[in-house]
Amino acid sequence: MQMDERKRKILRAIVQDYIATAEPIGSRTIARKFDLGVSSATIRNEMADLEDLGFIEQPYTSAGRIPSDAGYRYFVDCLMDPQVLNPEDMEIIERESTKRINELQEVIAHTSKLLSELTNLTSLVLGPHKGKSTFGKMHFLPYQPGQVIMVIVKENGVVENHIIDVGENLTAEELQQVAGVFNQKMRGYSIGQVKRSMLHEIYSELSRQRLLIDNALDMLRAILDDNEEEERIHLGGTLNMLNQPEFKDLSKVKTLFKVFEENESLKKVLTPRQEGLNVTIGGENTLKEFRDCSIISATYKVNGLMIGAVGVLGPTRMDYAKVIAIVDFMTRSLTEVLTKRRR
Amino acid sequence: MQMDERKRKILRAIVQDYIATAEPIGSRTIARKFDLGVSSATIRNEMADLEDLGFIEQPYTSAGRIPSDAGYRYFVDCLMDPQVLNPEDMEIIERESTKRINELQEVIAHTSKLLSELTNLTSLVLGPHKGKSTFGKMHFLPYQPGQVIMVIVKENGVVENHIIDVGENLTAEELQQVAGVFNQKMRGYSIGQVKRSMLHEIYSELSRQRLLIDNALDMLRAILDDNEEEERIHLGGTLNMLNQPEFKDLSKVKTLFKVFEENESLKKVLTPRQEGLNVTIGGENTLKEFRDCSIISATYKVNGLMIGAVGVLGPTRMDYAKVIAIVDFMTRSLTEVLTKRRR
DNA sequence: GTTAGCACTCTCCGTCGATGAGTGCTAACA
DNA sequence: TGTTAGCACTCATCGACGGAGAGTGCTAAC
C-alpha cells in the first residue's frame, strides 16, 4: 500500500488536530472540521489503511485514532510546513539576547528560562564540555598572613583563584620563585600526566616551601581533575510538564521528574548525534522514561566551534513546527551572541 | 475544660498514629492499638472534648479524627519525647561532613541533598547573605596581548577574577600604578558610595589608561552591585513531596512546585525569626501555599556568627521528633565544619 | 466516672444501565 | 472501481444505587 495525497492530507489533519486537542479524533470529526471533500466513510477506509501502515493507532476499540511515533515522524519529515518564527517571539529573543550578561553560566540559565517560556515546555541547555584541562600558568598574590591567593590560568583560557595556606614566613620573592618553577615544569600538562620525576624536581628545587607546594598541588589536582562538575546541564520550566494532559497521572510525573534529577542521563540525551537540529520522537529515545516524549535539540557554536546544545522536551504530541522554529532561531541567536562577546 | 493526663495520652496517640498512617483514627482503633486501660466509649468522650479544645478535627461526620494545627503545636511543645538522633544517621552525617569540600556553595548543595535523603522530605538551605559588598584590593595579572586578569578581593574575603580589555600597550608598571590608585581611593567603599569626585581624581591621576579604567569600573560595578544573585537558596528532594499521600492531588503539587521555583518567597520563609531551631506548623506559615505544610528550620553559624539557615519542608503530618533531631544535629555539624575550615 | 449497646451518618466501592462517540462491514450508487 | 449511506457492535464515561464498613453521639446500666 502506498501513501497518496489524500492519505497524507488525512494524516496531517489527524496529527494537527491531536496536537491541538490531545483527544483521539474520529472520521466524522475529521470530515466536519477539515474540508477534504469526501465523506466520513471514505475517511474511515483511509484511516484503516493508515493504521495498517503504522502511522496511527487506536487507544482502544471504537475510540478515535491518534498518531503513532511513526506518524509523527512522517509528519515531521514529509508533511509539516516549515514555519518561520512569528515576529513577536523573534523580537523577544532578540531583545533578551542583547541584554548584557557576563558569565556563560548566566547566559545558559537565561536561555533555558526563555526557551521554556516561549514553548511552554521543559528546556534543556548543555553548557560547554570541558574535557581534561591542562595547566597553563600560575600566579601568587598576597592575601592574609600565612595565606596567599593562587591564580591558575588553564590552557583553555579559564581562570580560577583559590586561597591556600603557606608557611607563615614566605617572602614575595619566594612565592615568585615557586610560581616560576611550576610554570616552567608543568605548562601543558594535565594533573594525570605529572610524573614522579617532575614532582621530585620541583621538591628538590624548592625544599623550603614544602607546605605551600603540597597545598598548591592539592588544589591543582582538584581544579584540573574534576571538571566534570562544570559541565552541568540546565533545566527550565519543568513545571510546564504538569500542564500537559498526558501527565495528569502522578506516577508518570514521578518517573519523569526522577530523570530530571539525575544529570547523567540528561547529558546523554542532549549530547548531539550530529551538528544542527535534531528531532527525537517518542520511542526513538534511548531513555525509556522519555518514551512518551519528544526532544527537539540543536547545537550552538562559539567562533565556529560546536560547544553545546539546547533542547526542548515535551510530550510526543507537541507543536513540532513551532518548537523547531523557536529552537532553531534560539541557537542561531545564541551562537551570534556568544561569538560576538567571547574573546 | 482542662487538659489532663488522659487527654494528653489520647492526643499523643492520635498524633503518633496519624503521623505513621496518614489515616483518620477512631476511638475503637485507639483502644485496640494503644493500651490506655479504658474502653473506646471513654476515649470517645475524651475525643469530643479534644475536638472542643480545637486539638483534633473530623474530615467529615463519622470518620476518625485527625490532629489540627493546634494539635500538632501542642504535641510539639508539650507531648513529644525529645528524640536523640539514631546512631546510624548520626554516623552518616559525620562521615559525610568530613569529606573535603572546597566551596561553600558545594557544602550547601551537599547539605541539602543529605538532609532530604535522611528525612525523605524536601530540604531548604539558605546560604550566607552577602549584603552590599565593599572593595578591598585589586591586582592585575598578565593574560593575553591587550587583556589582563583583574583579581578583586572584597572586604568580606571573597576573591573573584575577571578578564578585561586594556589598551594594547600598557606596561606592567602602568598596570601596577592603576591598581595602586584604585586600592588607595576605593578600599572600604561599595560601588554605590563611589562619588563623582573620587572618579574624577582617579581619571586625572591616570589619564592615559582610560579604557582600562572604564572596563575595570564596569566590572567592579557588576561584581559589587548585584550580589543578590549569590544569596541563592538551595532545594533538595523536591520529589519526596510526591510520595506523601497528601500530595496525590496534582493541583496541590502544582501550586507547591510553583513556589519552589520562585526563590523570593522561599527566602522569606526560611529567613529565621530567631537564632536556633524553629518549628512552623501548617497555618502558622505566612505563605498560603504552605498552609498544609510544616517547616522545621535551624540556623548555622561560622565563627559564632549566624550566617544562614537550613530547613525541612514536609506535610503537617510529619515525624516532628525525628526531623527535629536531624535538623538540629545537622546544623551543629555544619557549624562545626564551617568554623573549622573557614578562615 | 466508666462502659455497653444501639441507631445513625457518611465515605467508599462495586454494579448497572444509559449515553455517546467511533468503528467495520455491507450494500447501493455513480 | 471508488464513494457513500446505513447499521450493528464495541467500549469508555458518567451518574445512580445500594451494601459494607468505620465511626460517632446518646442513653442507660453498672
Side-chain angles (χ1 to χ4, degrees):
Chain A
M1 198 183 330
Q2 279 290 358
M3 288 295 281
D4 56 23
E5 194 48 37
R6 195 168 64 190
K7 281 194 181 54
R8 271 195 278 274
K9 268 191 186 155
I10 292 174
L11 180 55
R12 180 193 277 127
I14 294 173
V15 174
Q16 282 177 350
D17 190 85
Y18 188 64
I19 283 174
T21 65
E23 297 290 330
I25 182 171
S27 53
R28 224 183 102 80
T29 320
I30 293 179
R32 232 186 308 120
K33 268 196 183 174
F34 300 82
D35 193 21
L36 300 181
V38 288
S39 79
S40 69
T42 310
I43 293 175
R44 252 197 314 280
N45 289 329
E46 296 285 41
M47 282 169 87
D49 291 353
L50 285 171
E51 185 160 2
D52 285 346
L53 288 165
F55 289 146
I56 57 178
E57 51 197 27
Q58 273 181 300
Y60 50 86
T61 327
S62 80
R65 305 299 216 295
I66 61 174
S68 67
D69 287 357
Y72 285 120
R73 170 53 67 195
Y74 190 87
F75 176 79
V76 169
D77 290 346
C78 309
L79 301 179
M80 190 177 64
D81 306 318
Q83 193 173 309
V84 181
L85 189 55
N86 74 57
E88 298 101 69
D89 287 354
M90 219 184 270
E91 204 203 321
I92 291 174
I93 294 177
E94 299 216 302
R95 178 153 32 88
E96 289 294 316
S97 64
T98 55
K99 278 189 184 168
R100 66 164 280 173
I101 297 180
N102 294 315
E103 298 290 323
L104 179 65
Q105 208 54 37
E106 280 176 45
V107 175
I108 287 176
H110 191 249
T111 303
S112 167
K113 183 150 177 284
L114 187 55
L115 197 53
S116 67
E117 280 169 4
L118 288 177
T119 57
N120 283 318
L121 299 171
T122 298
S123 66
L124 316 166
V125 182
L126 188 62
H129 75 282
K130 303 247 166 113
K132 290 274 174 240
S133 51
T134 50
F135 178 85
K137 206 167 172 194
M138 167 191 288
H139 303 271
F140 289 114
L141 296 171
Y143 183 57
Q144 306 240 337
Q147 296 183 318
V148 297
I149 302 169
M150 178 170 82
V151 179
I152 303 292
V153 183
K154 299 192 220 166
E155 281 206 318
N156 59 10
V158 176
V159 182
E160 292 188 26
N161 66 64
H162 296 271
I163 290 161
I164 62 174
D165 293 319
V166 297
E168 187 83 42
N169 43 7
L170 289 186
T171 64
E173 286 76 39
E174 284 175 303
L175 287 173
Q176 203 147 10
Q177 193 194 351
V178 175
V181 173
F182 268 95
N183 288 339
Q184 186 198 328
K185 305 271 182 209
M186 282 189 56
R187 157 160 271 158
Y189 288 97
S190 77
I191 203 69
Q193 295 172 305
V194 175
K195 300 197 187 65
R196 284 200 162 276
S197 59
M198 207 184 292
L199 290 180
H200 201 70
E201 282 178 45
I202 293 177
Y203 275 128
S204 65
E205 281 198 40
L206 306 161
S207 51
R208 270 199 67 219
Q209 293 84 1
R210 192 115 199 165
L211 175 62
L212 168 56
I213 294 171
D214 282 343
N215 287 342
L217 276 171
D218 260 16
M219 198 54 83
L220 278 176
R221 202 161 285 134
I223 295 169
L224 297 179
D225 230 21
D226 60 31
N227 32 30
E228 210 66 50
E229 282 305 311
E230 297 292 324
E231 194 189 355
R232 236 172 231 150
I233 201 160
H234 203 282
L235 280 180
T238 48
L239 279 191
N240 287 340
M241 277 308 199
L242 298 182
N243 293 325
Q244 302 295 341
E246 25 273 280
F247 292 96
K248 62 181 193 295
D249 180 7
L250 200 56
S251 69
K252 274 192 187 169
V253 174
K254 256 192 236 175
T255 56
L256 195 65
F257 277 44
K258 198 114 208 161
V259 182
F260 288 168
E261 281 206 339
E262 29 165 326
N263 288 6
E264 230 24 72
S265 322
L266 286 182
K267 260 187 235 168
K268 233 177 266 167
V269 162
L270 197 56
T271 303
R273 278 147 236 259
Q274 60 186 67
E275 205 169 286
L277 201 122
N278 265 289
V279 180
T280 312
I281 296 172
E284 296 169 12
N285 254 304
T286 47
L287 220 59
K288 72 171 190 304
E289 288 87 347
F290 285 176
R291 70 187 183 287
D292 292 331
C293 297
S294 286
I295 295 175
I296 293 173
S297 64
T299 55
Y300 62 94
K301 301 183 194 177
V302 172
N303 295 330
L305 219 75
M306 187 181 97
I307 62 161
V310 318
V312 167
L313 177 83
T316 28
R317 179 193 63 80
M318 68 158 91
D319 189 343
Y320 290 91
K322 182 182 151 201
V323 175
I324 286 174
I326 292 177
V327 170
D328 187 56
F329 191 82
M330 199 82 159
T331 44
R332 283 177 207 284
S333 157
L334 195 59
T335 296
E336 200 182 315
V337 168
L338 291 175
T339 299
K340 233 190 291 178
R341 187 165 297 158
R342 290 260 125 186
R343 7 181 185 254
Chain B
M1 199 184 329
Q2 279 289 359
M3 288 295 280
D4 55 24
E5 194 48 36
R6 195 167 64 190
K7 281 194 181 55
R8 270 194 279 273
K9 268 190 186 154
I10 292 174
L11 180 55
R12 180 193 276 125
I14 294 173
V15 174
Q16 282 176 349
D17 190 85
Y18 188 65
I19 283 174
T21 66
E23 296 290 329
I25 182 169
S27 53
R28 224 183 102 82
T29 319
I30 293 178
R32 234 186 306 119
K33 268 197 182 173
F34 300 82
D35 193 19
L36 299 182
V38 290
S39 79
S40 70
T42 310
I43 292 174
R44 245 188 330 272
N45 289 330
E46 296 287 40
M47 281 169 87
D49 290 353
L50 284 171
E51 186 161 3
D52 285 346
L53 286 165
F55 289 145
I56 57 179
E57 52 198 23
Q58 271 181 301
Y60 49 85
T61 328
S62 81
R65 306 300 216 294
I66 62 174
S68 66
D69 287 358
Y72 285 119
R73 171 53 68 195
Y74 191 87
F75 175 79
V76 169
D77 290 346
C78 309
L79 301 179
M80 190 177 65
D81 306 317
Q83 193 172 309
V84 182
L85 190 53
N86 74 57
E88 299 100 70
D89 286 355
M90 219 183 271
E91 206 203 319
I92 291 175
I93 294 177
E94 299 215 303
R95 176 152 35 86
E96 288 293 316
S97 65
T98 55
K99 278 189 184 169
R100 66 165 277 175
I101 298 179
N102 294 315
E103 298 291 322
L104 179 64
Q105 209 54 36
E106 282 176 45
V107 175
I108 286 176
H110 191 250
T111 302
S112 166
K113 183 149 177 283
L114 187 54
L115 197 53
S116 67
E117 280 169 5
L118 288 176
T119 57
N120 283 318
L121 299 171
T122 298
S123 66
L124 316 166
V125 181
L126 188 61
H129 74 282
K130 301 246 166 110
K132 291 276 172 234
S133 51
T134 51
F135 178 85
K137 207 166 172 192
M138 167 192 288
H139 303 271
F140 290 115
L141 297 171
Y143 182 58
Q144 308 240 338
Q147 296 184 317
V148 297
I149 303 170
M150 177 170 84
V151 180
I152 303 292
V153 183
K154 298 192 221 167
E155 282 206 318
N156 60 9
V158 175
V159 182
E160 291 186 28
N161 66 66
H162 297 270
I163 291 162
I164 61 173
D165 294 318
V166 297
E168 187 83 42
N169 43 6
L170 288 186
T171 65
E173 286 77 38
E174 284 175 302
L175 287 173
Q176 203 147 12
Q177 194 194 350
V178 175
V181 172
F182 268 96
N183 289 339
Q184 185 198 330
K185 304 272 182 207
M186 282 189 56
R187 156 160 273 158
Y189 288 96
S190 77
I191 202 70
Q193 295 173 306
V194 175
K195 299 195 189 68
R196 284 202 160 276
S197 59
M198 208 184 290
L199 289 180
H200 201 70
E201 283 178 45
I202 293 177
Y203 276 127
S204 66
E205 282 198 38
L206 305 162
S207 50
R208 271 200 66 219
Q209 293 83 3
R210 193 115 199 167
L211 176 62
L212 168 56
I213 294 170
D214 281 342
N215 288 341
L217 276 171
D218 259 15
M219 197 55 85
L220 279 175
R221 203 161 284 132
I223 297 169
L224 297 179
D225 229 20
D226 60 30
N227 31 31
E228 209 65 49
E229 283 305 309
E230 298 291 324
E231 193 190 355
R232 238 171 230 149
I233 201 160
H234 203 284
L235 280 179
T238 47
L239 280 190
N240 288 340
M241 276 309 198
L242 298 182
N243 294 323
Q244 303 295 342
E246 24 275 279
F247 291 95
K248 62 181 192 296
D249 179 8
L250 199 57
S251 70
K252 274 191 188 170
V253 174
K254 256 192 239 178
T255 56
L256 195 64
F257 277 45
K258 198 112 209 164
V259 181
F260 287 168
E261 280 206 339
E262 31 164 323
N263 288 4
E264 232 21 75
S265 321
L266 285 181
K267 259 186 235 168
K268 234 177 263 168
V269 163
L270 197 57
T271 303
R273 279 148 235 260
Q274 60 186 67
E275 206 169 288
L277 200 122
N278 265 292
V279 180
T280 311
I281 296 171
E284 296 170 13
N285 254 302
T286 47
L287 221 58
K288 73 172 189 304
E289 287 87 348
F290 285 177
R291 69 186 184 285
D292 293 331
C293 296
S294 287
I295 295 173
I296 294 173
S297 64
T299 56
Y300 62 94
K301 302 184 195 177
V302 172
N303 296 330
L305 219 76
M306 186 180 98
I307 62 160
V310 317
V312 167
L313 177 84
T316 29
R317 179 193 63 80
M318 68 158 89
D319 189 344
Y320 290 91
K322 183 182 150 202
V323 176
I324 285 174
I326 291 177
V327 170
D328 187 56
F329 191 83
M330 199 81 159
T331 43
R332 281 176 208 285
S333 158
L334 195 58
T335 296
E336 201 182 314
V337 169
L338 291 176
T339 298
K340 233 191 287 176
R341 187 164 297 158
R342 291 261 124 185
R343 356 168 199 264

